[in-house]
Amino acid sequence: MSLRLATFNIENLMTRFDYTGFRNQTRRDRAMQLYDVRDEAAYQALESARMLALTDDTRQLTALAIADADADILCLQEVDNMAALQAFEYGYLYRMMGNGYRQKFLIEGNDSRGIDVAVVMREETQDGERIELVDITSHAAVTYRDLGLFTPELALNNRVDDKIFKRDCLEFELRIGGKPLTLFVTHLKSMTNGRENGDGRMGTMPVRRAEVQAIRRIIENRFGVEGAPSASFAICGDMNDYQERVVISGNRRVGHSFTPVTQETSALDILSEDDFAVNPVLRRDVMDRWTLYHSRGPQEQHLCQLDYIWLSKRLADMNAKSVPEIIRAGQPFRTPFPAGQEVDRYPRTGWDRPKASDHCPVVMSLDLH
């Protein structure tokens, strides 16, 4: 019996227009900045039209990427609410795939922008095995005090009774053809809003480290420290951190060069140490593990893996020969691909936008015994 499991940050699946750019230039879209719009009503009309036109192309590309992943269970990040998820599933996914995801789950989390994690599931796997939700638990209310994870580093910008997860860690107890599987779906603290004029990744590292420690603690509390290695669980989501990256130099005119670099420290070390969880994307070539292109101009470019399906030791051993797929055809044309990795982009993909997302879906076939 095989299950297709995927994770995808679909980038701002929203039902709301953001008109704050009228009064705050830093929040105004670059296309709108080309025009001198002094009337707020006119601004709102133009911004609505711009977003509607861009959204339709974007969500067609998003649906194509999800269709190519062809997952039985899809873990999502950056979903506004259930209404947005239902509208996207029916208006785009169902039309694209011919069969949609009838089971949809979303619980409002802690994100200040209102973006949440969600899961959509088919009623059966492609092998005809029933996918059954036994229970769902939100851990959004868990605080640093609850798990004893408050540290002096955190005290600089946080309080002991603050919630650990900046979005949530949703726990799904499932049965796939009668066999147990527990999913933990999350979206960790972003690498922005760090120390002023400093390294945003390192500045936000204490928060992500606490989030990862909390995920591990929740799993160990659920299965026991000794029982976790033999449990069937997966941790899916946008971790906003990496243990390695591919540094890019050069430009379109002279060409690009790509150099893999291992990071000295990462919040994700908490999962990988002592084989608590396994990142099966490491089964791919070191140059071919990336799910996101990061750029702040030609002097700061890299490819990295931010999107993960972490497997328990039991699941990793049971699926030792299974290699995850990374769907990159929805990446914009500005993303430089290492030699041999080029793909045919989806129709209407732009230089920077529209695109399926800034992230790539990761999907993996798993046998459950």
Side-chain angles (χ1 to χ4, degrees):
M1 182 196 75
S2 182
L3 169 75
R4 295 271 294 178
L5 175 64
T7 187
F8 188 22
N9 181 328
I10 59 176
E11 191 181 12
N12 295 328
L13 181 62
M14 308 294 279
T15 59
R16 297 164 281 142
F17 293 113
D18 182 359
Y19 298 128
T20 57
F22 179 73
R23 301 186 184 282
N24 184 347
Q25 288 283 341
T26 63
R27 296 182 63 87
R28 184 174 295 193
D29 182 81
R30 60 179 182 262
M32 292 293 290
Q33 288 179 348
L34 295 172
Y35 297 91
D36 183 15
V37 183
R38 301 183 183 183
D39 177 78
E40 188 165 4
Y43 176 86
Q44 291 187 6
L46 289 168
E47 178 62 12
S48 300
R50 183 192 72 80
M51 279 302 300
L52 281 172
L54 177 63
T55 296
D56 185 54
D57 281 340
T58 296
R59 294 314 165 195
Q60 289 187 63
L61 300 175
T62 305
L64 278 168
I66 292 174
D68 279 352
D70 198 20
D72 300 312
I73 299 176
L74 174 63
C75 307
L76 297 170
Q77 300 86 50
E78 295 200 10
V79 179
D80 192 5
N81 50 42
M82 182 58 77
L85 187 58
Q86 290 174 331
F88 171 67
E89 191 274 338
Y90 179 74
Y92 291 88
L93 274 184
Y94 177 77
R95 294 172 182 270
M96 190 74 66
M97 302 176 69
N99 63 326
Y101 292 91
R102 293 183 177 233
Q103 302 187 76
K104 307 176 189 68
F105 307 95
L106 181 150
I107 297 176
E108 296 292 333
N110 299 325
D111 187 86
S112 59
R113 291 199 297 131
I115 53 173
D116 300 304
V117 297
V119 170
V120 295
M121 304 188 295
R122 291 174 170 153
E123 294 180 310
E124 293 182 344
T125 69
Q126 295 171 46
D127 292 341
E129 299 287 350
R130 184 183 176 195
I131 301 175
E132 177 186 3
L133 175 69
V134 178
D135 197 12
I136 178 172
T137 303
S138 168
H139 295 284
V142 174
T143 67
Y144 296 113
R145 186 191 300 274
D146 291 336
L147 296 182
L149 294 178
F150 201 64
T151 65
E153 282 184 307
L154 288 166
L156 295 174
N157 297 294
N158 303 272
R159 295 171 299 180
V160 67
D161 289 314
D162 284 350
K163 297 170 182 176
I164 294 178
F165 294 109
K166 297 310 169 189
R167 282 92 181 188
D168 199 353
C169 176
L170 285 183
E171 179 179 347
F172 292 81
E173 183 182 350
L174 306 171
R175 290 200 174 273
I176 315 297
K179 298 176 177 62
L181 174 67
T182 305
L183 286 183
F184 298 89
V185 185
T186 194
H187 183 187
L188 301 187
K189 168 67 179 173
S190 70
M191 290 182 277
T192 59
N193 300 322
R195 299 166 185 156
E196 291 184 7
N197 301 318
D199 185 330
R201 175 174 175 266
M202 294 306 297
T204 55
M205 183 73 72
V207 176
R208 271 191 309 282
R209 188 177 288 118
E211 289 179 304
V212 179
Q213 287 174 324
I215 293 170
R216 179 161 178 165
R217 188 76 58 82
I218 288 166
I219 294 172
E220 290 175 339
N221 289 343
R222 168 73 185 274
F223 299 108
V225 175
E226 299 299 325
S230 59
S232 292
F233 69 80
I235 308 164
C236 300
D238 176 359
M239 302 293 176
N240 269 317
D241 208 346
Y242 45 83
Q243 294 176 305
E244 59 186 19
R245 60 186 175 136
V246 177
V247 176
I248 304 170
S249 58
N251 54 47
R252 293 179 65 225
R253 184 177 65 83
V254 301
H256 295 98
S257 61
F258 302 85
T259 305
V261 175
T262 300
Q263 301 303 127
E264 290 186 5
T265 184
S266 168
L268 305 179
D269 297 342
I270 296 164
L271 292 179
S272 60
E273 65 187 13
D274 61 32
D275 293 327
F276 175 79
V278 175
N279 174 17
V281 167
L282 295 179
R283 297 169 186 173
R284 299 174 66 94
D285 182 80
V286 67
M287 299 286 286
D288 195 23
R289 299 168 182 168
W290 60 275
T291 66
L292 179 132
Y293 167 57
H294 168 82
S295 172
R296 289 185 179 174
Q299 302 306 315
E300 185 181 338
Q301 302 179 80
H302 66 250
L303 302 168
C304 62
Q305 182 189 1
L306 294 188
D307 306 274
Y308 293 80
I309 300 175
W310 291 90
L311 301 178
S312 66
K313 188 175 187 308
R314 170 183 166 81
L315 274 185
D317 290 346
M318 287 166 49
N319 295 273
K321 295 184 179 180
S322 181
V323 179
E325 304 165 43
I326 302 173
I327 311 299
R328 299 187 178 122
Q331 280 287 291
F333 280 93
R334 74 184 185 97
T335 302
F337 281 55
Q341 295 184 26
E342 296 85 355
V343 296
D344 291 331
R345 305 304 210 284
Y346 299 133
R348 297 182 67 83
T349 298
W351 170 251
D352 180 53
R353 61 186 184 187
K355 57 184 180 294
S357 169
D358 51 348
H359 294 249
C360 300
V362 179
V363 59
M364 185 176 188
S365 293
L366 295 173
D367 288 328
L368 304 176
H369 301 299

